[in-house]
Amino acid sequence: MLAQGIGKTTSVATNHFSGLSLGELQSRLKQCWLRFERAVKDEMAPLLYYLRKELKKQGSHSGEGFCNWIDKNLGISRKTANRWADEWAIAHNLKKPHTSGQMTKRDESRSDPVDHNGASPVSFQLLLDDEQETKFLAAWDNLKAAIGEDKASQLVFNAVINRAEHEERPVNSKKPVRSVGTKRRRRMVN
């Protein structure tokens, strides 16, 4: 099996990874992605910025605007492409930083260096349609305002854990259901 690296091709023995535990596989994938993303972002960000600028200058008369081109040609999301281009442009004084005073959700999650009594911020994705997303985020904000973020986080944690622990093993599965208990308290941060 050949693995394509940035600027080089290396041979990887497939059985080398077969003995790794789930946690080791996940950890290695995360480390690999962080190295890959950093290298790719550094090279792609200025290209994305200037491509977006050129396509905006031309207009999207042919339907081949920046976002459509990203969707058709690159393996990254529109949001990622725009974020990388914006971050690069801001760093090189080609674009002004957000001046509205409002932080994006991503800015908020990255700007919270506070120690939450030993709790670790945990991010996860929910697959929701637009209506569900609006309803969920409004409910989350109301819940945090009513009972506080720590208690709201604990409530969501308990709901997911309790439901998972009471689910039966899938009918076609020969594997027993794993316990989803955790050694330390985890919390959800928006």
Side-chain angles (χ1 to χ4, degrees):
M1 175 179 173
L2 291 178
Q4 192 81 10
I6 299 175
K8 61 182 177 183
T9 302
T10 57
S11 177
V12 177
T14 55
N15 64 355
H16 174 72
F17 301 110
S18 64
L20 297 177
S21 71
L22 176 63
E24 291 169 325
L25 290 167
Q26 291 170 334
S27 176
R28 286 197 182 186
L29 281 167
K30 286 178 187 178
Q31 291 170 359
C32 183
W33 170 246
L34 289 175
R35 285 192 313 268
F36 175 75
E37 181 185 27
R38 195 174 303 120
V40 169
K41 179 181 176 182
D42 290 346
E43 187 173 342
M44 288 180 67
L47 296 168
L48 290 166
Y49 171 78
Y50 285 110
L51 174 66
R52 183 176 63 185
K53 185 176 177 180
E54 286 299 311
L55 288 172
K56 279 185 179 180
K57 194 177 357 176
Q58 294 175 8
S60 60
H61 304 294
S62 65
E64 191 68 17
F66 180 72
C67 290
N68 286 338
W69 191 90
I70 295 298
D71 288 343
K72 290 178 186 175
N73 296 284
L74 300 180
I76 60 174
S77 71
R78 297 173 177 194
K79 193 179 254 187
T80 296
N82 278 307
R83 187 182 76 250
W84 287 359
D86 288 344
E87 289 173 355
W88 183 86
I90 291 168
H92 291 84
N93 297 319
L94 297 170
K95 182 177 179 174
K96 292 182 181 178
H98 300 293
T99 58
S100 66
Q102 291 183 324
M103 295 177 77
T104 65
K105 289 178 192 170
R106 184 175 189 85
D107 292 336
E108 288 173 2
S109 68
R110 289 183 171 188
S111 68
D112 190 9
V114 178
D115 178 23
H116 297 283
N117 299 324
S120 301
V122 174
S123 297
F124 62 93
Q125 291 183 334
L126 297 173
L127 300 176
L128 306 172
D129 62 33
D130 290 341
E131 184 179 330
Q132 289 174 321
E133 178 184 11
T134 301
K135 190 174 181 179
F136 179 83
L137 292 175
W140 175 248
D141 288 341
N142 289 340
L143 190 60
K144 287 191 308 184
I147 64 174
E149 188 173 12
D150 285 343
K151 287 182 181 177
S153 295
Q154 191 63 45
L155 182 72
V156 172
F157 173 83
N158 289 342
V160 172
I161 297 301
N162 288 337
R163 179 61 189 244
E165 287 177 345
H166 291 97
E167 284 298 310
E168 291 186 26
R169 184 179 82 236
V171 177
N172 295 330
S173 175
K174 294 180 181 178
K175 294 181 180 179
V177 175
R178 292 182 345 149
S179 170
V180 292
T182 182
K183 292 182 180 176
R184 65 179 187 175
R185 183 174 155 237
R186 299 217 174 223
R187 48 187 256 115
M188 182 178 83
V189 176
N190 63 347

